[in-house]
Amino acid sequence: MVSNLGNLLRLFLAWRYRGYGSRVSALTVYDMCGITSIYAPSGCVPREALQKATKTLYHRGPDAQTDWISKDGTVGLGHARLSIIDVQTGDQPLANEDKCVHIVVNGEFYDFERIRNELEQLGHVFRTRSDSEIALHLYEEYGTACLSRLRGEFAFVLWDQNNQTLFAARDRFGIKPLYYSWHDGQLYLGSEVKALCAAGVPAQWDLDTLMTGPGLAPDRSHFAGISQVPPGHFLLANKTGIKTVSYWDIEYPLATDTRGHRDEREDVEQLEEIIHRAVKLRLRADVPVACYLSGGIDSCAVLGIASQHSSKPIKAYTLSFDHADYDERSLAEAQARLSGADFFPIEIRSEHLATHFEEAIWHAERPFINAHCVAKFLLSKAVNKDGTRVVLTGEGSDEVFAGYPHFRRDLVLHNTQGQDPVTAARLLKELDEANQVSQGVLLVDQVGSEFDSVKKALGFVPAFFPILCFTAKDLFSQSMVERFQHHDHFKVLLNQLDVSRRLNGRDAVNQSLYLWAKTVLPNYILSNLGDRMEMAHSVEGRVPFLDHELVECVARMPIARKILGTTEKNILREATKPVLTDAVYRRQKHPFLTPPSTLQTDGALHELVQDTLRGGALHDVGIYDRKKVVDMLDGLPNLDTPARTRLDPALMTMLSNCLMQKHFGLAAASSK
């Protein structure tokens, strides 16, 4: 009877959601979830700890929280599931035919039907219609080399019983999170830090990361003793220890290498084909797929292309702010009309940002430099309330096509062909004047002796590097300053990257793109503005611009394809021009930011900043000089608009750290 009801349910849902992407013979299962694992070489995985960790990720997977422990007690796997359709056969952990390999997966594998068919021809038997199951059988065939065959955004943990090996991996760009910690003789893994803490890993500040901005090293978190599996890496653990290994990286050509360069028209046509394929693959779902829409070329291009491949109007959700310099509603609405999309504006005010700041920080587990993260949190909340579970977003485009103004600054200052000083000065002035909103966030002028090691290693200082250390360092306590006065954060960062193979000899813009992709992209853009704010409300975000075939294609192109004169994302504009409004096609990059709290001094967010930083919460963090902070707050009314705008990232960072201190029960940081 249950089986018959299940079949009837599948038939009904297949009819109900017909027209949204192509279909396989049975319904496809995509799981955007939370995963946990405990590896205990001693053979005593504590089930209660595993269950606590998994239940902590309820928001990532509200439909089911399941766990499994191996018969020998060596490993436990947990899974919090957000199911799209298949409520009967998609539960995890998944096991192979003889149940000697088990896996939990967070994310999606695209083009999986083709891979599944190949595996079935090799004799593998599939138990579900889930895309996740291909990773299980690929591992049986190819071991860790299976990662080269996977396309998508994912993190997973796999247990190989016969070889007593735990294998965990993260997608190429870090779209999906995966943390781990070795504590009391056991290895803990999870989609979020809070899951590890729930299982028993202590939550303590990593003081080094408190001294840096949003660009952490690829393997760091803000918590001492808790690391990340870096993007494009896998982790292996057995009784001899643990190690992480790189399986993929971005390969930019040498600046002197002109092999394979084609004319621009050919490059545009190739890119157009790849973008359409990347979007079309991500429309595959058995529920409607919506889009997040701003007034920028990235999300507008995604919506325009997606609309061409959908048989029904796509829902487009847009944030709207009460400050003209930050509101893009009219541009987005015009794009929605052109694309034939259903337009849903969501109005955000200062009181909304203040009310939800704490909750957003709890989900993010890392500080904000602007309240745009809270706005994204509220966007996903509204989308969930509207019944939407899957959205396409434009994240990653600026990292692929050099969209941010600091990349254009690098081109002017450090391009290999050089320019006369007068022309360079004029272009830099025009860049600054055209990007007032980016001042203090994406354009920061603070290049001092702390960057000496960067100059020695790279020959120049990428224009975005000052962003990595603007976190109110002048407001730290004297003991904190003394502790880190000889610590070179940037040398530590560069030491973890393969500078000689990946950066040396490359154009300055490509070097900056690579470094941004290893720091700010996974640790802020894809986290605070991506996965964390979406999964806080069980919304599955998909990012077509971070399709690895698209990234590899654009990486090989000349810099002029990305920045032509003072126009950023040149080739993207041309490849997507047919689906864009003229206003979007011609518009310069405008970063997604909320109005700074310092510009709305009568707003609730500014009041939250004042109350929090003047109170005991700042003292509890244990790293700031309270008098310096209060003096800065007192002086805000006397500053002009640009100066107040530049201070807002520091205020947001301090506010974030105070709220993290509160919600994670962190003991006051000691800088002694």
Side-chain angles (χ1 to χ4, degrees):
M1 180 65 176
V2 172
S3 177
N4 289 335
L5 286 174
N7 290 332
L8 288 172
L9 175 63
R10 284 177 170 78
L11 289 171
F12 167 74
L13 290 171
W15 170 83
R16 173 65 179 85
Y17 293 116
R18 66 193 187 282
Y20 288 96
S22 55
R23 291 287 179 267
V24 291
S25 57
L27 288 179
T28 301
V29 185
Y30 286 103
D31 286 317
M32 181 62 73
C33 310
I35 58 176
T36 60
S37 178
I38 301 177
Y39 169 59
S42 61
C44 56
V45 168
R47 182 176 292 275
E48 183 180 359
L50 181 64
Q51 291 176 337
K52 284 182 178 179
T54 306
K55 288 179 180 178
T56 302
L57 300 178
Y58 174 88
H59 54 283
R60 298 186 72 92
D63 297 321
Q65 294 85 46
T66 55
D67 61 84
W68 168 86
I69 295 178
S70 61
K71 290 182 180 180
D72 59 7
T74 301
V75 70
L77 302 175
H79 189 256
R81 183 182 179 209
L82 171 62
S83 60
I84 302 303
I85 290 293
D86 194 338
V87 297
Q88 283 194 322
T89 67
D91 285 343
Q92 299 188 30
L94 299 169
N96 68 338
E97 296 89 336
D98 62 5
K99 298 186 178 181
C100 66
V101 181
H102 289 75
I103 193 172
V104 285
V105 180
N106 168 29
E108 298 87 24
F109 301 125
Y110 302 114
D111 194 24
F112 79 94
E113 298 94 342
R114 177 184 57 81
I115 297 173
R116 178 188 176 112
N117 290 335
E118 292 176 359
L119 290 166
E120 287 177 332
Q121 291 176 13
L122 292 172
H124 291 274
V125 178
F126 283 73
R127 299 173 182 271
T128 74
R129 300 306 303 179
S130 169
D131 65 308
S132 298
E133 195 175 352
I134 64 167
L136 188 73
H137 299 291
L138 281 173
Y139 173 79
E140 290 185 275
E141 284 291 328
Y142 306 106
T144 60
C146 69
L147 291 165
S148 66
R149 298 170 180 265
L150 294 173
R151 181 178 191 171
E153 47 249 19
F154 58 85
F156 64 76
V157 181
L158 178 150
W159 173 244
D160 181 343
Q161 182 68 36
N162 291 342
N163 295 300
Q164 291 288 291
T165 298
L166 185 141
F167 168 43
R170 194 175 178 201
D171 64 66
R172 294 167 176 82
F173 303 99
I175 303 167
K176 297 298 137 204
L178 186 58
Y179 294 89
Y180 69 96
S181 178
W182 185 265
H183 175 65
D184 283 349
Q186 297 180 336
L187 177 65
Y188 296 79
L189 298 101
S191 296
E192 298 182 11
V193 170
K194 60 180 66 68
L196 275 61
C197 296
V201 177
Q204 302 173 355
W205 283 116
D206 183 330
L207 293 182
D208 186 24
T209 63
L210 283 176
M211 293 289 287
T212 61
L216 299 180
D219 67 338
R220 299 292 290 273
S221 79
H222 282 80
F223 298 81
I226 298 178
S227 302
Q228 299 184 76
V229 175
H233 282 66
F234 64 84
L235 176 149
L236 290 175
N238 53 37
K239 290 185 178 180
T240 65
I242 62 174
K243 66 176 180 179
T244 58
V245 181
S246 173
Y247 70 87
W248 182 88
D249 211 342
I250 305 173
E251 184 68 55
Y252 288 105
L254 295 172
T256 56
D257 186 0
T258 60
R259 293 173 298 173
H261 285 186
R262 303 176 302 182
D263 66 41
E264 183 178 2
R265 187 65 252 166
E266 288 180 303
D267 282 341
V268 168
E269 291 174 354
Q270 182 186 26
L271 179 61
E272 184 177 8
E273 179 183 346
I274 293 176
I275 290 178
H276 276 259
R277 184 163 64 246
V279 171
K280 188 175 180 180
L281 281 171
R282 285 158 180 79
L283 283 172
R284 295 294 305 276
D286 292 305
V287 295
V289 178
C291 287
Y292 283 164
L293 180 66
S294 69
I297 186 174
D298 311 327
S299 61
C300 289
V302 169
L303 175 64
I305 294 171
S307 296
Q308 290 188 343
H309 295 285
S310 175
S311 61
K312 292 187 177 182
I314 291 177
K315 288 185 176 181
Y317 299 93
T318 296
L319 288 168
S320 179
F321 304 112
D322 57 350
H323 192 299
D325 290 343
Y326 298 85
D327 187 52
E328 300 181 328
R329 174 172 175 167
S330 61
L331 288 163
E333 189 169 10
Q335 178 65 49
R337 281 197 303 271
L338 177 66
S339 302
D342 294 331
F343 184 66
F344 295 86
I346 293 132
E347 296 186 355
I348 302 294
R349 302 293 178 260
S350 179
E351 57 268 26
H352 304 143
L353 300 174
T355 299
H356 295 278
F357 204 108
E358 282 196 40
E359 189 179 1
I361 278 290
W362 183 81
H363 283 283
E365 302 175 340
R366 60 188 70 199
F368 302 156
I369 61 171
N370 180 267
H372 54 185
C373 303
V374 190
K376 189 69 176 289
F377 174 87
L378 292 169
L379 173 62
S380 297
K381 182 177 182 179
V383 165
N384 174 284
K385 186 176 181 180
D386 194 44
T388 297
R389 283 193 168 189
V390 184
V391 294
L392 302 184
T393 80
E395 265 75 46
S397 174
D398 290 305
E399 286 71 21
V400 177
F401 297 99
Y404 295 119
H406 51 75
F407 294 132
R408 277 172 280 161
R409 179 177 282 182
D410 284 326
L411 181 67
V412 173
L413 292 174
H414 310 296
N415 75 83
T416 54
Q417 296 177 345
Q419 297 184 80
D420 68 272
V422 175
T423 300
R426 175 180 59 79
L427 291 174
L428 290 174
K429 182 179 179 181
E430 291 175 357
L431 184 65
D432 286 341
E433 291 176 348
N435 290 276
Q436 291 299 309
V437 170
S438 297
Q439 296 296 328
V441 180
L442 294 176
L443 290 175
V444 182
D445 292 314
Q446 293 179 7
V447 179
S449 60
E450 67 265 38
F451 297 100
D452 287 347
S453 61
V454 179
K455 291 180 182 178
K456 291 179 181 178
L458 306 180
F460 77 109
V461 179
F464 81 86
F465 260 46
I467 299 172
L468 305 187
C469 62
F470 67 26
T471 56
K473 63 179 181 178
D474 294 335
L475 303 174
F476 286 125
S477 64
Q478 185 60 33
S479 59
M480 191 73 171
V481 172
E482 291 174 356
R483 175 181 177 131
F484 287 99
Q485 62 180 333
H486 300 300
H487 184 77
D488 191 334
H489 305 282
F490 300 102
K491 178 174 285 188
V492 171
L493 170 61
L494 293 177
N495 283 346
Q496 296 186 56
L497 303 174
D498 194 345
V499 173
S500 61
R501 288 187 58 200
R502 302 298 178 185
L503 296 174
N504 288 352
R506 272 67 177 183
D507 189 283
V509 173
N510 281 338
Q511 290 190 56
S512 292
L513 283 167
Y514 182 89
L515 291 165
W516 183 273
K518 297 299 178 182
T519 55
V520 183
L521 175 63
N523 290 320
Y524 196 87
I525 305 296
L526 297 176
S527 178
N528 284 4
L529 290 171
D531 175 85
R532 296 308 185 84
M533 299 302 102
E534 291 155 359
M535 290 308 299
H537 301 289
S538 305
V539 173
E540 173 186 317
R542 299 179 178 180
V543 283
F545 286 115
L546 291 181
D547 183 283
H548 74 276
E549 292 187 4
L550 187 156
V551 173
E552 290 169 349
C553 171
V554 178
R556 294 189 293 266
M557 293 181 180
I559 294 298
R561 299 288 189 268
K562 302 163 191 174
I563 306 175
L564 184 62
T566 57
T567 301
E568 81 282 2
K569 296 192 273 197
N570 175 57
I571 194 167
L572 176 62
R573 293 176 190 275
E574 299 309 315
T576 60
K577 184 177 181 180
V579 301
L580 301 175
T581 65
D582 186 65
V584 170
Y585 169 75
R586 299 182 183 283
R587 190 179 185 228
Q588 179 182 274
K589 167 67 183 178
H590 189 291
F592 168 54
L593 298 167
T594 59
S597 66
T598 51
L599 298 187
Q600 297 179 316
T601 55
D602 58 345
L605 181 58
H606 185 71
E607 183 178 346
L608 176 64
V609 170
Q610 292 280 346
D611 291 347
T612 303
L613 300 188
R614 291 179 185 273
L618 187 76
H619 175 268
D620 292 341
V621 178
I623 65 172
Y624 298 112
D625 185 315
R626 187 176 184 278
K627 183 179 184 305
K628 292 179 181 177
V629 174
V630 171
D631 286 347
M632 183 188 70
L633 294 173
D634 289 342
L636 279 175
N638 302 320
L639 300 177
D640 59 19
T641 295
R644 279 186 283 152
T645 299
R646 286 191 292 269
L647 282 179
D648 196 65
L651 293 176
M652 292 295 100
T653 299
M654 288 191 291
L655 174 61
S656 300
N657 287 337
C658 288
L659 298 177
M660 284 178 64
Q661 178 87 32
K662 171 183 175 182
H663 280 284
F664 287 95
L666 296 157
S670 172
S671 58
K672 299 296 184 183

